[in-house]
Amino acid sequence: MTEPSRIAPEALEAVAQTGSGFNPLLPGLILLLPLLGFLVNGILALIAGSREGNVLRSAALAEPDSEEERVDLQHKEDAPRRATHTLPTWVGPGVMLGAFILTTLNFLRMLGSGLQDPTVITYWSWMPTGTLAVDAAIQLDQLSMIMMMVITGVGFLIHVFSVGYMKEDPGYPRYFAYLNLFVFFMLVLVTGANFPVMFVGWEGVGLCSYLLIGFWFQDREKADAGKKAFIVNRVGDFGLLMAMFILFATFGTLNYQEIFAAAPTTLVYGGGVVTAITLFLLLGATGKSAQIPLFVWLPDAMAGPTPVSALIHAATMVTAGVYLVARASVLFALAPVSAAAVATIGALTALFAATIALKQYDIKKVLAYSTISQLGFMFMAVGVGAYAAGVFHLMTHAFFKALLFLGAGAVIHSMHHALHATHKDWDAQDMRNMGGLRRHMKWTWVFMWIATLAIAGIWPFAGFFSKDEIIWYVGTSAPFGPLYAVLWGMAVVTAALTAFYMARMMILTFHGPNRTGEAEGKHLHEAPLTMTIPLGILALLSIFGGWINVPQSVRDSFFGGFGMLPMSSWLDEWMAPVTAAADAIRLEQLGAYAYQSPVGGGHVTWGFIATGLAMAVVLAATWYFRSKDVPTAVEQGAPRSGFGKILYNKWYVDELYDRIIVRPVVGISRFSWRVVDRVLIDGTVNAVGAVSKGTGWFGSLFQTGQLNTYAFILALGALALLGVLIF
Amino acid sequence: MELEFTSRVDYIWALLPEIVLSIGAMVVLLVGVFREADDDPAAGDASPLGWISLIALAAAAMANGWLTGIPVASASPMVAVDPFRLFANWIFLGGAGLTILLSFPYVTRQRLQAGEFYTLILLCTVGMMFMASARDLLLLFLGVETMSIAAYVLTAFNRRDRRSSEAGLKYFLLGAFSSAFLLYGIALTWGATGTTNLLEIGEAVAGGAAVPGLIMAGMGLLAIGFAFKVAAVPFHMWTPDVYEGAPTPSTAFMAATVKAASFVAFARLFMEAFPALYDSWSTVFWWLAALTMIIPNVVALSQSNVKRMLAYSSIAHGGYLLVALTAANEMATAGLLFYLLVYSIMNIGALAVVMVASGHAEERLQIGDYAGFGWAQPMLGVVFTIFLLSLAGFPGTGGFMAKIYLLQGAAESELWTLAVVLALATVVSYYYYLRVAWYMWMRPAAPDLTHEEVWVPLPMRMGLVASAAILIFLGIFPGGIIDLARAATHGFFLAGVLP
């Protein structure tokens, strides 16, 4: 018998195995603060929601057809002045600020401690029974700390932005309740010290994501987008469950520390078991991180409010798959086939999504496909064993992509107000209806260009250092097979495409003549300060965020101002304790190999080529689209022929999935239902009604054959059962 | 005091919970009759009789608690006094109590005869308690029939509703059919071994004293009888009809507590009487479990009637529980008890919300009728969401922990395929459970719906909130209960027989 787990008060106090002087400061509170925010905002939302039930109903009747129209329906409701609308402004971002400060303090403490082994803090025994012992425990190490910094830091900025963006929405408290809950689950996901705790966060962020995608649920199409995300992620979750199951069967535990310590000796290198585990993990990761084949939900997820897209569908949740692979780096290092699969899926997804982004007109769709593409880069990185590089890109991407989404949000906000002022029913998100916005939104324009240069990979912006490092690592893996040379080629092409579609987006949106219309143009305006200040901070991070991980040779070259700029290779060193075990396995199995550039020369040569290429593409695209006469959406409509039509329709993947998966599944369920329900039950119930008029229903019950059918099946089942037993 | 079963008085002590509850049922019946006799306008209110019933259940629970502390010197040939039975009794008593507590507004609104209705629930519970304690096939049969006949009547109880009568008749006829299987199985088993005592049958089978073909046939017929009672596929055909047609409190009670009792008796029967034949019956159970997990989950996907969806859901949960019976180790059996406890709470809770949301004549059962329900009735919306999440097995709820224990049990018996099917079935089931939550929160209410008219008295509110809180608690701190469940399976699983 195990110890009975009475929950004594002292059990709730943390029992930290403090290793090398790292003394965490109230880490539990970091998680509890967003949860508290959720409870407060949730209660406010229920109060507001039950009061405004009639409002929702009238909104549904009016069938508004765009994001902000619902907002405007509420203008007369003076909702913002109520306590249920003023309190969330302080509670929502407030708890995030608290969490961010606490995280920073812990980060500084960890930085000063030279921590090697992860610090595991056990709160209580969650599943104390039997062979499977799982604690409710969190693990603080370099990886989880970086993730927590990103989540609480970028999360806080997005919460502040949301105050400006969502203020007039009737669902304002509900919005912050979901957002706080999301942050809580995301923190659980990255801090969990074992797979089940991580799984709690994994499922929780999914739930919040669906809730927020369908936030404007009066719109059926938007609610259905949430449903799609939900269904696609089920497949991924199944993968994760299976991986956990095999892990448990193999190791008898689900704790990270025990599994990763035992893995190199328990598992055969490249063996079937570890390959199965990692492939199932990969399936889970592709679901959450929107990779092939499970990427289809992310573009539809753009139906949610734009700050949600920034936080959940760009900066944090969708990177969970990358986190998972980095966390299980030991297992992936032991399974070369799976690691190659990760890199290949990443490269394919990156290229595939980038091509689609070329021909999208909805500004958020461009960013959505761009996100999928950039996640592909991260997958490539962790697939070729460059875990630190993957996490590095995860971090810089969180900065510049959050900035791009928030900037797009500010644009949509402005567009909508302009279109609404003159009651023009144009699409506020279609870039063909924009143009020339830089004259109206100078700051947003500047900030978004910074992010664009960053994502395009142009020196000295953050993306240059993080993305080109990934391409570098993929290229240096070429000695392991021609596959990596191909992947490298795909990565380079993708990088060029990225520069192209981003420049296209910027030109269509901000440059050239304004296409919104005479009357509307007057109403275009810059966003309020609560929205532009977070943009400014993210812009700074998009510039300097990349300077924390620059190799020595690059620092000493032109790119580091010949050693003058404050750059370092800090992140690599910081992540070393996390990736050490995986690196050791790779070194042992694959042997040491000198990193050399796939095109000859060292880091610096490659840096010149990469940034030169990106700049050339950006300039070319700028020149091309500026000289082009862009028709408005109404004039042009959807592309009707050619390759552009295929790209515009996203290679018809949705249609393909609908044909080969959705319809058959629906068909099977309907079939079972018709046979079991309709024919045998509903049909006969109706027959009962008809016959009973003449004969009395008792008699008819026997005549319809319904009971006979049941009894017949029962008897058949009985025969089968006895047959199995006796023969 | 010590139970030695040398005198008849000891049997009275050993059956004290059953006796107390039987007396309570009589009291409720009598009070009900007198209340109907006078023309009190308040006679329509079900809650006074409900409270008396709850007191009777509390008294039985006290007797059960008292019995837990009584040492047993020698085993009784008829009545088991072991932790397994006593733990199971907690589930039955709790399930009956929860059903009654949450049914006040329904019984009142539907003008059901509260006295008789609650008496039947109590008597049904007595039958269950006999099933859990029976160590003799004949006593077991008595328990099954006491429970079943009460359940038939509970199904047909709403005489004003034709759906109810029809469901009752169907249930009765098919139930009689299955009782015949059960009885025939008892006869053959007796013929093969010369005894009806479970432990003696076990010894005879293990010692090779049983007539080979005959004992297999007997065991098979017993399995069929119980497979019907637990609604295992393909013996489940009656379930959707009966659960949909019955008055909703009866549905809740049958889907949760009646099923729990059948599983408890099923487990005791096969683990005490036929451990030596584990290899044979585990194959059968394997197939029953697999089918019962797959088919109802697939069918539930296309259900638009919430009550019917919950009927299929309850069949599917039976499939998960069958995995525990197939695994038959300590972890699985403890998981079975834990699951039954969690399942009773969440299923009764979910159907209780359906009870109040479905309108005066149970006309609002379609999923579309739940659009906007959460915002109009925040408390009901929140607890219903918790029940649905728990039914789906969402991490952090009791339902998740229960499934984890079953998976663990399956893993320990190396039932990999069943474990995979269980995981897949769970993943699929998310869809139809959360679809209801989706409608509640993410769909605007139709203009003509009047969710505001839902009547939920305070005791019911408290019961629902407490149930939801317990589910969350069991999801986060399951330790205490699972330890109790493990203690309850002490010496009561097939560890020795397993490969």
Side-chain angles (χ1 to χ4, degrees):
Chain A
M1 280 294 289
T2 47
E3 280 274 309
S5 72
R6 300 279 173 271
I7 307 304
E10 60 268 24
L12 289 168
E13 283 169 31
V15 190
Q17 316 160 354
T18 37
S20 55
F22 171 54
N23 189 15
L25 176 72
L26 297 172
L29 196 56
I30 300 174
L31 277 71
L32 273 183
L33 276 171
L35 187 62
L36 199 71
F38 159 68
L39 291 175
V40 173
N41 286 327
I43 290 167
L44 291 172
L46 286 175
I47 295 170
S50 57
R51 200 172 48 205
E52 281 157 18
N54 293 321
V55 177
L56 288 177
R57 213 169 287 161
S58 62
L61 285 177
E63 281 187 10
D65 54 11
S66 76
E67 285 197 5
E68 271 86 0
E69 216 147 297
R70 259 169 305 283
V71 175
D72 297 312
L73 275 173
Q74 298 312 313
H75 271 291
K76 302 158 207 101
E77 286 288 314
D78 73 337
R81 260 172 272 149
R82 291 196 175 122
T84 50
H85 276 67
T86 48
L87 270 178
T89 304
W90 300 105
V91 176
V95 293
M96 288 303 298
L97 182 63
F100 177 59
I101 292 172
L102 258 181
T103 310
T104 312
L105 291 176
N106 275 293
F107 174 72
L108 293 174
R109 283 191 178 196
M110 188 184 278
L111 200 61
S113 68
L115 178 80
Q116 287 301 313
D117 293 325
T119 301
V120 174
I121 301 157
T122 305
Y123 289 97
W124 69 86
S125 182
W126 186 26
M127 310 179 196
T129 306
T131 45
L132 174 66
V134 175
D135 291 331
I138 63 173
Q139 169 171 337
L140 296 181
D141 63 0
Q142 289 79 1
L143 178 58
S144 58
M145 199 49 102
I146 283 278
M147 295 297 293
M148 286 164 79
M149 286 295 285
V150 171
I151 294 161
T152 55
V154 177
F156 168 63
L157 293 175
I158 291 171
H159 274 69
V160 173
F161 182 93
S162 302
V163 171
Y165 194 83
M166 299 294 290
K167 196 165 55 205
E168 292 161 356
D169 196 289
Y172 188 61
R174 178 163 60 97
Y175 173 82
F176 271 117
Y178 292 163
L179 216 54
N180 282 158
L181 185 65
F182 166 78
V183 172
F184 165 71
F185 278 125
M186 192 66 211
L187 289 169
V188 170
L189 195 163
V190 298
T191 54
N194 50 55
F195 281 96
V197 174
M198 187 270 287
F199 190 64
V200 172
W202 187 274
E203 291 291 286
V205 291
L207 187 70
C208 296
S209 163
Y210 321 133
L211 290 173
L212 284 162
I213 293 168
F215 184 75
W216 283 306
F217 53 77
Q218 289 83 356
D219 190 335
R220 180 169 269 274
E221 191 188 323
K222 289 180 172 171
D224 282 349
K227 203 157 91 179
K228 186 168 176 186
F230 176 76
I231 293 169
V232 171
N233 270 292
R234 297 288 89 215
V235 182
D237 291 348
F238 171 70
L240 196 56
L241 272 176
M242 290 314 300
M244 280 164 56
F245 197 65
I246 306 176
L247 279 168
F248 172 62
T250 314
F251 293 96
T253 175
L254 287 172
N255 293 334
Y256 289 154
Q257 290 306 299
E258 292 168 42
I259 288 176
F260 299 145
T265 47
T266 311
L267 298 168
V268 184
Y269 178 79
V273 176
V274 71
T275 306
I277 292 171
T278 44
L279 285 179
F280 276 124
L281 284 177
L282 174 59
L283 182 61
T286 54
K288 221 24 131 217
S289 290
Q291 298 291 294
I292 291 173
L294 300 180
F295 69 95
V296 286
W297 64 271
L298 187 58
D300 289 21
M302 296 299 130
T306 308
V308 169
S309 311
L311 178 63
I312 300 184
H313 305 119
T316 54
M317 185 188 82
V318 290
T319 61
V322 183
Y323 165 81
L324 181 64
V325 178
R327 176 56 82 203
S329 56
V330 173
L331 301 176
F332 281 93
L334 284 166
V337 175
S338 308
V342 173
T344 309
I345 283 179
L348 284 173
T349 311
L351 182 59
F352 188 72
T355 58
I356 297 175
L358 293 174
K359 202 64 189 167
Q360 296 303 309
Y361 291 109
D362 184 321
I363 187 168
K364 286 184 77 179
K365 285 276 160 73
V366 174
L367 292 175
Y369 281 104
S370 159
T371 303
I372 296 174
S373 178
Q374 296 300 309
L375 288 165
F377 272 105
M378 297 174 213
F379 268 62
M380 268 188 262
V382 293
V384 300
Y387 305 105
V391 173
F392 183 32
H393 196 54
L394 186 162
M395 188 189 80
T396 59
H397 177 258
F399 300 150
F400 56 68
K401 189 51 70 60
L403 173 52
L404 283 168
F405 266 116
L406 295 186
V411 167
I412 296 167
H413 198 71
S414 175
M415 280 293 290
H416 178 78
H417 277 279
L419 290 174
H420 187 73
T422 58
H423 302 285
K424 198 170 183 178
D425 64 339
W426 277 14
D427 186 351
Q429 301 190 15
D430 196 310
M431 296 187 296
R432 288 170 296 188
N433 297 338
M434 299 176 185
L437 290 185
R438 79 193 145 103
R439 288 187 291 280
H440 306 280
M441 316 179 68
K442 203 154 89 198
W443 285 111
T444 308
W445 172 62
V446 171
F447 294 147
M448 282 188 77
W449 260 115
I450 291 174
T452 300
L453 295 177
I455 194 176
I458 288 169
W459 181 84
F461 299 97
F464 167 71
F465 298 102
S466 61
K467 185 159 60 172
D468 288 329
E469 190 183 359
I470 292 174
I471 301 179
W472 167 270
Y473 273 110
V474 176
T476 53
S477 301
F480 304 125
L483 171 70
Y484 292 93
V486 175
L487 297 186
W488 180 81
M490 290 164 75
V492 173
V493 173
T494 308
L497 292 178
T498 307
F500 187 84
Y501 68 70
M502 287 309 297
R504 170 181 176 266
M505 184 193 94
M506 290 304 292
I507 302 300
L508 288 183
T509 307
F510 286 103
H511 295 261
N514 180 265
R515 294 178 293 273
T516 318
E518 282 289 296
E520 288 75 16
K522 294 187 204 104
H523 296 279
L524 293 167
H525 59 84
E526 182 61 283
L529 277 182
T530 45
M531 288 160 72
T532 40
I533 290 176
L535 292 184
I537 299 173
L538 285 169
L540 286 177
L541 290 168
S542 303
I543 302 173
F544 301 110
W547 292 16
I548 58 168
N549 198 28
V550 185
Q552 182 70 43
S553 61
V554 177
R555 288 207 299 276
D556 291 339
S557 73
F558 164 78
F559 294 119
F562 304 102
M564 307 281 281
L565 293 177
M567 296 178 176
S568 70
S569 51
W570 171 81
L571 188 68
D572 259 340
E573 293 149 24
W574 169 257
M575 288 287 291
V578 178
T579 59
D583 290 343
I585 296 167
R586 289 177 64 86
L587 187 69
E588 185 191 332
Q589 297 293 339
L590 304 172
Y593 58 97
Y595 285 130
Q596 63 172 358
S597 165
V599 289
H603 282 292
V604 181
T605 320
W606 168 239
F608 274 112
I609 294 173
T611 197
L613 178 71
M615 282 176 81
V617 173
V618 169
L619 286 174
T622 307
W623 173 79
Y624 173 70
F625 284 106
R626 290 204 69 164
S627 62
K628 213 176 133 180
D629 195 19
V630 183
T632 62
V634 176
E635 288 163 21
Q636 192 187 27
R640 275 174 290 274
S641 63
F643 193 51
K645 188 186 176 195
I646 297 177
L647 291 184
Y648 179 79
N649 287 303
K650 305 133 193 175
W651 296 97
Y652 294 100
V653 172
D654 276 337
E655 287 77 4
L656 181 75
Y657 282 8
D658 185 58
R659 209 56 68 74
I660 62 172
I661 298 167
V662 177
R663 285 192 203 173
V665 169
V666 171
I668 290 172
S669 179
R670 290 253 166 86
F671 174 77
S672 323
W673 173 52
R674 285 215 175 100
V675 170
V676 179
D677 256 48
R678 269 281 162 80
V679 179
L680 294 181
I681 293 155
D682 284 4
T684 43
V685 167
N686 296 338
V688 169
V691 179
S692 60
K693 282 179 188 144
T695 60
W697 64 274
F698 184 89
S700 73
L701 212 54
F702 288 90
Q703 286 159 16
T704 58
Q706 182 184 1
L707 265 176
N708 288 342
T709 314
Y710 290 179
F712 180 66
I713 291 175
L714 206 157
L716 274 188
L719 278 179
L721 192 151
L722 286 175
V724 169
L725 270 183
I726 295 173
F727 302 107
Chain B
M1 198 178 118
E2 219 178 41
L3 293 182
E4 290 172 344
F5 297 105
T6 44
S7 76
R8 306 242 159 140
V9 184
D10 278 358
Y11 279 97
I12 293 178
W13 296 128
L15 289 173
L16 197 61
E18 286 84 347
I19 294 169
V20 169
L21 196 56
S22 305
I23 294 170
M26 296 306 133
V27 172
V28 174
L29 187 62
L30 285 176
V31 175
V33 169
F34 284 115
R35 268 175 65 87
E36 274 172 29
D38 50 9
D39 282 340
D40 187 358
D45 183 10
S47 53
L49 286 163
W51 286 114
I52 298 175
S53 312
L54 287 175
I55 292 168
L57 286 166
M62 279 167 68
N64 199 48
W66 170 82
L67 199 57
T68 311
I70 300 296
V72 181
S74 60
S76 136
M78 294 284 273
V79 183
V81 186
D82 56 12
F84 187 74
R85 165 196 170 195
L86 298 170
F87 190 98
N89 280 354
W90 294 120
I91 300 174
F92 307 151
L93 293 168
L98 199 57
T99 308
I100 291 173
L101 181 66
L102 299 182
S103 70
F104 292 173
Y106 184 94
V107 174
T108 307
R109 200 179 61 202
Q110 300 284 340
R111 292 181 292 128
L112 303 180
Q113 290 87 342
E116 291 157 39
F117 192 74
Y118 290 140
T119 303
L120 282 166
I121 289 187
L122 297 184
L123 288 176
C124 196
T125 312
V126 171
M128 297 175 193
M129 286 158 68
F130 270 109
M131 284 165 74
S133 65
R135 205 163 238 161
D136 189 283
L137 288 175
L138 289 175
L139 189 59
L140 180 66
F141 187 73
L142 282 180
V144 169
E145 286 304 293
T146 310
M147 177 188 82
S148 301
I149 291 170
Y152 305 147
V153 184
L154 282 171
T155 304
F157 201 82
N158 193 350
R159 285 175 306 184
R160 281 177 291 274
D161 186 352
R162 224 197 50 177
R163 287 175 298 181
S164 171
S165 312
E166 189 185 316
L169 189 70
K170 263 180 209 162
Y171 191 18
F172 169 68
L173 290 170
L174 289 166
F177 198 39
S178 81
S179 289
F181 276 104
L182 208 57
L183 206 53
Y184 199 28
I186 290 171
L188 290 188
T189 308
W190 175 76
T193 58
T195 172
T196 54
N197 181 285
L198 298 190
L199 296 174
E200 286 170 20
I201 294 170
E203 281 167 27
V205 174
V211 183
L214 212 51
I215 189 69
M216 277 293 184
M219 187 179 79
L221 290 168
L222 285 169
I224 292 163
F226 274 104
F228 176 89
K229 295 289 174 204
V230 302
V233 177
F235 308 101
H236 71 293
M237 299 292 289
W238 56 278
T239 322
D241 285 13
V242 170
Y243 285 7
E244 192 188 347
T248 313
S250 308
T251 306
F253 189 58
M254 285 190 295
T257 320
V258 168
K259 181 170 287 202
S262 307
F263 265 106
V264 164
F266 209 172
R268 182 188 290 282
L269 174 62
F270 276 79
M271 288 185 203
E272 285 194 346
F274 304 112
L277 297 175
Y278 174 76
D279 286 342
S280 306
W281 58 258
S282 65
T283 316
V284 173
F285 283 28
W286 193 99
W287 281 104
L288 288 178
L291 289 174
T292 313
M293 284 192 283
I294 295 166
I295 291 176
N297 270 312
V298 173
V299 175
L301 288 177
S302 54
Q303 297 307 312
S304 58
N305 178 316
V306 173
K307 204 170 164 188
R308 193 167 187 90
M309 181 275 282
L310 285 171
Y312 280 110
S313 133
S314 91
I315 304 177
H317 281 275
Y320 310 145
L321 290 159
L322 279 166
V323 174
L325 285 192
T326 315
N329 54 44
E330 181 187 12
M331 190 65 241
T333 311
L336 178 87
L337 289 176
F338 186 86
Y339 203 109
L340 288 173
L341 178 70
V342 170
Y343 170 72
S344 300
I345 298 171
M346 60 196 184
N347 213 37
I348 294 174
L351 280 160
V353 179
V354 173
M355 261 181 239
V356 290
S358 58
H360 289 280
E362 287 209 22
E363 72 280 8
R364 290 213 300 252
L365 288 168
Q366 294 300 313
I367 191 163
D369 298 332
Y370 285 80
F373 184 72
W375 297 111
Q377 292 288 335
M379 192 281 295
L380 289 176
V382 169
V383 296
F384 197 21
T385 307
I386 293 173
F387 295 140
L388 289 167
L389 284 173
S390 186
L391 281 165
F394 197 82
T397 62
F400 174 72
M401 292 313 305
K403 284 213 176 84
I404 289 283
Y405 290 131
L406 292 192
L407 276 175
Q408 206 182 334
E412 283 177 17
S413 290
E414 303 190 341
L415 300 168
W416 306 118
T417 314
L418 278 189
V420 172
V421 174
L422 205 166
L424 257 178
T426 302
V427 165
V428 170
S429 74
Y430 265 70
Y431 177 78
Y432 58 80
Y433 289 124
L434 294 198
R435 199 158 62 122
V436 182
W438 190 264
Y439 269 84
M440 276 199 300
W441 299 105
M442 311 292 270
R443 283 267 196 274
D448 57 329
L449 276 187
T450 46
H451 289 317
E452 286 78 5
E453 285 176 9
V454 168
W455 172 49
V456 190
L458 185 67
M460 180 171 184
R461 266 174 204 274
M462 285 165 57
L464 284 170
V465 171
S467 304
I470 291 172
L471 287 177
I472 300 271
F473 179 83
L474 288 178
I476 301 173
F477 305 107
I481 298 294
I482 192 70
D483 280 338
L484 279 180
R486 273 167 74 91
T489 59
H490 185 65
F492 190 78
F493 48 90
L494 298 178
V497 194
L498 288 176

